[in-house]
Amino acid sequence: MFKPKFLCILTGLAISLLSFGSSFAADTKLNGAGASFPYPVYSAWAYDYNKVSGAQLNYQSIGSGGGIRQIVNRTVDFGASDAPLKPEELEKDSLLQFPAVIGGVVLVVNIPGIKAGELKLDSNVLCNIYLGEINYWDDEKIKRLNPGKALPHKEITVVHRSDGSGTTAIFTDYLSAVSSDWKEKVGAGTSVKWPAGIGGKGNEGVANYVKRVGYSIGYVEFAYAKENNLSHTLLKNSAGNFIKPSFESFKEAAGSADFDPKKGFYLWLNNAPGKKAWPIAGATFILLAKEKKESNINVVKFYDWAFKKGDETAERLIYVPLPVSLKNKIRAYWKSHNIY
Amino acid sequence: MTIRLKKNPVDIIFSSITAIASVSVLLLILGILYVLILESYPSIEKFGFLRFITSTDWNPVKGSFGAATNLFGTAITTVLSILIAVPVAIGIAIFVTEIAPNFLKGPIGAAIELLAAIPSIIYGMWGLFTLAPIMANYIEPALQKSIGSLPLVGVLFEGTPMGIDLLTASVILSIMIIPFTASISRDAFNLTPAVIKESAYALGATKREVVKDIVIPYSKVGVFGGVVLSLGRALGETMAVAFVLGNNHQITKSLFDAAATITVTLANEFTEADTDIYLSSLFYLALLLFVMSFIILALAKFFILKTEKGIKQ
């Protein structure tokens, strides 16, 4: 008596499983995975794009490492990574790469009596603070950069990320670029062996500690500093000017940097040469599988639309859109690979 | 009769479905173990076993990995949380089984079970935003002032209290495991034969004496099993401690320093592990945790079974 019912359920299950496989073939669905940093802007773009084109873009923020692995295994239509892959890595896995949006890393401090934008730092001092070699806020080296400012004789609490992240990759790449000492002792990567300080999980963790712990310094994405009203510092760039982190100084960094399409735009934006360029920034990248022409054309369509119509959304979410010159370079790159 | 039952196809289907369901769990565990070994193989090959568990170097940039700092953090937080949780949990169990008036037993029991139902991520958030500041501003400075000046243990309370450290993580863990220890202890206490308890009361024993001389001796193996079970739980707990431990790969003297456990490292670093040996070493850590949890759970089961058997006899 129960048997027919049971068989019905079984066949039903089998049919639904089979049809699940075939319904996936619809070509207006795009699957992407990777970096968590650009997730808010990609999903906002996807939402707007869906309204104009009907195409569905599904982006999973599983982290840059996961994004790279997924596209290398060809399980997604595009991968996303905060760190660019080197040209030889692109070659090895036959991938295409282009930047999509820019993010900056800013330094935030919590020193009672010092307001946002008042403290000046340079690469040397920053490096020594993170190496644990400058321990007090009234250190001679900090005083020299901030003449006439009353700095307290208090111990510096260094805050860094406890989790692996693209933000850390950008920040440590900057420190490695400006200091051979750092390069040798620590190096650059999504997570490193920190010589000093305490770790907070995520930007929110670092922001929370800096807010709570007096006389601390931390690094966070620009958006977090802005939204949490943390006091940022000025930082000396490679042209020798003290720069305030802002949309303008990030754009200047992106505009003055030399992205090379031949290298798959491989570039860290750190120490961009522009006079008013903020020195610690990075683009976040999209990775495509070379041979999947059809889905690539759809992904490129989406990013082309985003480059045209998405700047406002990006800025609202405190991301820095790419400069026009770079967007045109990317379009030429697409064209040269016959996907645009 | 059994022969006729076997001939019935519905019964055959029914029994094979239940068998498949049970066997699939076993296969799943073996499958997970297989994947862990497979994925961690490059790291096992490169670092070996002894070198991996004794090396304190965890340096993704240079591709050099060792689990000693993680094992240290795991051991300290687990042991400390057990030390905090067990007395409280046993107190709860004694109160609920022997002392509380009947109308209180239900609500207290339900409250303890609710504590077990709170998802661990909520403990993590609460720990970061509420408990950590309290620890940093009040409890840790107070500890430093009182026991911190004692000669031998003083070293445990050195450094600036930040609230992101081994002590805070252990306190959160202890709150999480109290319900497990308490409810298993309660069940073990309830197994004490009522006849013996009543005889003791008849001889004029007080409640304290009954608990001390009858209930606890009868159930101590079961309580111990509960403790070991909570130990396994504390060992594997991730989200509650990921926020408040800092994931610093170091072996520290002070409880006020940040550290890393196996789970915290996995939660923090898995998504952005960008080299093969890095990922493989994380899998190796997971394998170590899997084996440790397995041994501890097996021990717990052994002790709990032993009490139940002992009482039946």
Side-chain angles (χ1 to χ4, degrees):
Chain A
M1 201 165 93
F2 290 107
K3 211 171 150 192
K5 212 178 186 177
F6 179 69
L7 275 179
C8 268
I9 295 171
L10 259 190
T11 38
L13 210 76
I15 288 169
S16 60
L17 271 176
L18 282 174
S19 58
F20 182 71
S22 60
S23 71
F24 245 63
D27 58 352
T28 45
K29 252 189 186 165
L30 293 171
N31 286 307
S36 50
F37 156 68
Y39 171 69
V41 68
Y42 290 172
S43 49
W45 281 344
Y47 179 74
D48 293 342
Y49 186 60
N50 177 256
K51 280 195 282 192
V52 274
S53 71
Q56 268 188 19
L57 187 120
N58 163 30
Y59 182 77
Q60 290 177 328
S61 66
I62 56 170
S64 299
I68 294 168
R69 268 193 294 282
Q70 298 255 11
I71 190 69
V72 167
N73 295 331
R74 306 297 198 253
T75 48
V76 286
D77 297 315
F78 68 94
S81 170
D82 284 336
L85 291 186
K86 292 197 182 89
E88 56 269 23
E89 289 172 307
L90 293 174
E91 193 60 43
K92 196 184 102 213
D93 294 310
S94 96
L95 297 172
L96 301 175
Q97 173 173 268
F98 62 88
V101 70
I102 286 169
V105 177
V106 307
L107 290 147
V108 289
V109 291
N110 175 356
I111 312 171
I114 293 203
K115 289 191 211 77
E118 279 191 351
L119 189 74
K120 290 176 182 171
L121 296 174
D122 68 3
S123 57
N124 181 22
V125 163
L126 189 58
C127 225
N128 282 319
I129 289 176
Y130 269 87
L131 278 172
E133 281 163 13
I134 291 182
N135 293 313
Y136 289 91
W137 282 113
D138 60 349
D139 191 280
E140 267 314 305
K141 282 181 178 165
I142 306 180
K143 269 188 177 165
R144 219 176 297 145
L145 293 173
N146 298 279
K149 201 149 285 167
L151 290 162
H153 182 71
K154 290 279 185 181
E155 212 171 324
I156 303 176
T157 301
V158 173
V159 186
H160 53 73
R161 290 282 288 267
S162 67
D163 50 337
S165 83
T167 314
T168 300
I170 292 171
F171 184 65
T172 51
D173 181 82
Y174 168 75
L175 292 179
S176 299
V178 293
S179 149
S180 55
D181 215 22
W182 181 274
K183 199 172 179 179
E184 216 169 273
K185 283 185 189 155
V186 186
T190 52
S191 51
V192 299
K193 196 174 178 177
W194 295 99
I198 54 168
K201 186 162 161 47
N203 280 296
E204 63 280 13
V206 173
N208 181 283
Y209 290 168
V210 172
K211 255 190 194 168
R212 237 184 51 212
V213 181
Y215 307 99
S216 57
I217 181 168
Y219 64 92
V220 290
E221 271 161 27
F222 181 47
Y224 272 85
K226 233 178 142 125
E227 280 165 2
N228 285 296
N229 283 324
L230 298 166
S231 40
H232 59 263
T233 68
L234 304 182
L235 190 59
K236 200 178 190 175
N237 68 4
S238 59
N241 301 319
F242 285 100
I243 302 298
K244 175 180 176 247
S246 65
F247 278 115
E248 289 70 40
S249 55
F250 292 132
K251 270 187 194 159
E252 170 112 6
S256 64
D258 185 25
F259 281 98
D260 187 357
K262 282 194 198 95
K263 293 181 185 160
F265 299 94
Y266 176 82
L267 182 75
W268 293 85
L269 260 183
N270 289 323
N271 274 321
K275 263 192 192 140
K276 287 180 185 161
W278 176 257
I280 319 176
T284 180
F285 292 83
I286 299 297
L287 297 162
L288 298 172
K290 241 182 205 167
E291 74 286 351
K292 286 168 92 179
K293 207 151 256 179
E294 212 168 298
S295 71
N296 284 352
I297 287 173
N298 286 324
V299 175
V300 160
K301 253 188 211 158
F302 168 70
Y303 279 100
D304 185 45
W305 173 88
F307 287 170
K308 275 184 200 136
K309 310 267 180 182
D311 285 4
E312 211 173 293
T313 313
E315 284 196 14
R316 188 166 40 92
L317 296 170
I318 325 184
Y319 289 85
V320 186
L322 303 182
V324 179
S325 58
L326 181 55
K327 286 178 182 168
N328 288 334
K329 256 192 205 174
I330 295 170
R331 290 193 178 102
Y333 175 74
W334 290 338
K335 221 168 233 163
S336 71
H337 287 93
N338 295 322
I339 50 174
Y340 180 60
Chain B
M1 194 168 124
T2 46
I3 295 166
R4 212 179 60 204
L5 262 178
K6 268 185 184 165
K7 272 184 184 165
N8 187 337
V10 179
D11 282 336
I12 293 175
I13 290 174
F14 176 72
S15 53
S16 43
I17 285 175
T18 54
I20 288 169
S22 334
V23 171
S24 62
V25 173
L26 272 179
L27 287 179
L28 200 64
I29 290 176
L30 287 176
I32 290 172
L33 185 65
Y34 171 73
V35 169
L36 285 178
I37 293 174
L38 189 77
E39 294 284 346
S40 56
Y41 191 70
S43 180
I44 296 174
E45 212 177 18
K46 187 165 175 196
F47 303 115
F49 178 68
L50 268 182
R51 201 183 129 201
F52 189 71
I53 62 163
T54 53
S55 162
T56 58
D57 192 30
W58 184 268
N59 192 334
V61 179
K62 300 207 162 69
S64 163
F65 298 97
T69 53
N70 304 81
L71 293 170
F72 167 82
T74 305
I76 297 291
T77 50
T78 308
V79 169
L80 208 56
S81 64
I82 293 281
L83 284 181
I84 302 171
V86 166
V88 180
I90 289 180
I92 292 171
I94 292 173
F95 184 76
V96 170
T97 52
E98 305 296 331
I99 295 168
N102 270 333
F103 73 92
L104 260 182
K105 281 181 185 172
I108 291 179
I112 294 165
E113 262 135 44
L114 268 180
L115 204 60
I118 297 174
S120 61
I121 181 78
I122 292 176
Y123 282 104
M125 287 157 62
W126 173 77
L128 176 62
F129 289 103
T130 311
L131 185 64
I134 293 174
M135 295 293 285
N137 297 333
Y138 305 106
I139 296 175
E140 290 179 354
L143 279 174
Q144 234 165 9
K145 266 185 207 136
S146 51
I147 3 182
S149 52
L150 297 176
L152 267 172
V153 285
V155 75
L156 291 174
F157 304 98
E158 272 173 4
T160 325
M162 216 68 86
I164 304 130
D165 49 38
L166 286 165
L167 189 64
T168 308
S170 306
V171 169
I172 291 185
L173 269 183
S174 70
I175 297 171
M176 286 200 64
I177 58 179
I178 281 173
F180 292 89
T181 327
S183 61
I184 291 171
S185 307
R186 187 189 59 191
D187 293 348
F189 289 168
N190 275 336
L191 285 174
T192 317
V195 182
I196 302 181
K197 278 198 286 184
E198 275 155 20
S199 323
Y201 283 126
L203 288 172
T206 61
K207 274 188 174 163
R208 189 181 54 81
E209 283 164 341
V210 169
V211 169
K212 182 168 73 79
D213 296 326
I214 301 191
V215 177
I216 289 182
Y218 246 97
S219 48
K220 60 179 183 243
V221 186
V223 172
F224 188 68
V227 171
V228 179
L229 203 64
S230 326
L231 199 95
R233 165 96 182 160
L235 202 66
E237 184 42 51
T238 308
M239 290 327 286
V241 283
F243 286 91
V244 292
L245 199 51
N247 196 28
N248 268 24
H249 295 274
Q250 55 179 0
I251 289 184
T252 64
K253 271 186 267 166
S254 171
L255 295 177
F256 293 174
D257 278 327
T261 67
I262 294 179
T263 51
V264 166
T265 300
L266 290 178
N268 275 306
E269 300 184 19
F270 198 74
T271 50
E272 297 289 338
D274 43 9
T275 60
D276 291 342
I277 192 73
Y278 190 4
L279 193 68
S280 176
S281 300
L282 288 173
F283 270 108
Y284 198 174
L285 278 185
L287 179 66
L288 288 180
L289 184 63
F290 185 95
V291 173
M292 280 158 64
S293 306
F294 184 82
I295 293 171
I296 282 176
L297 273 181
L299 273 178
K301 280 274 162 218
F302 173 76
F303 285 119
I304 291 171
L305 279 178
K306 213 173 156 190
T307 348
E308 282 169 0
K309 256 190 208 156
I311 282 171
K312 262 177 210 154
Q313 279 163 9

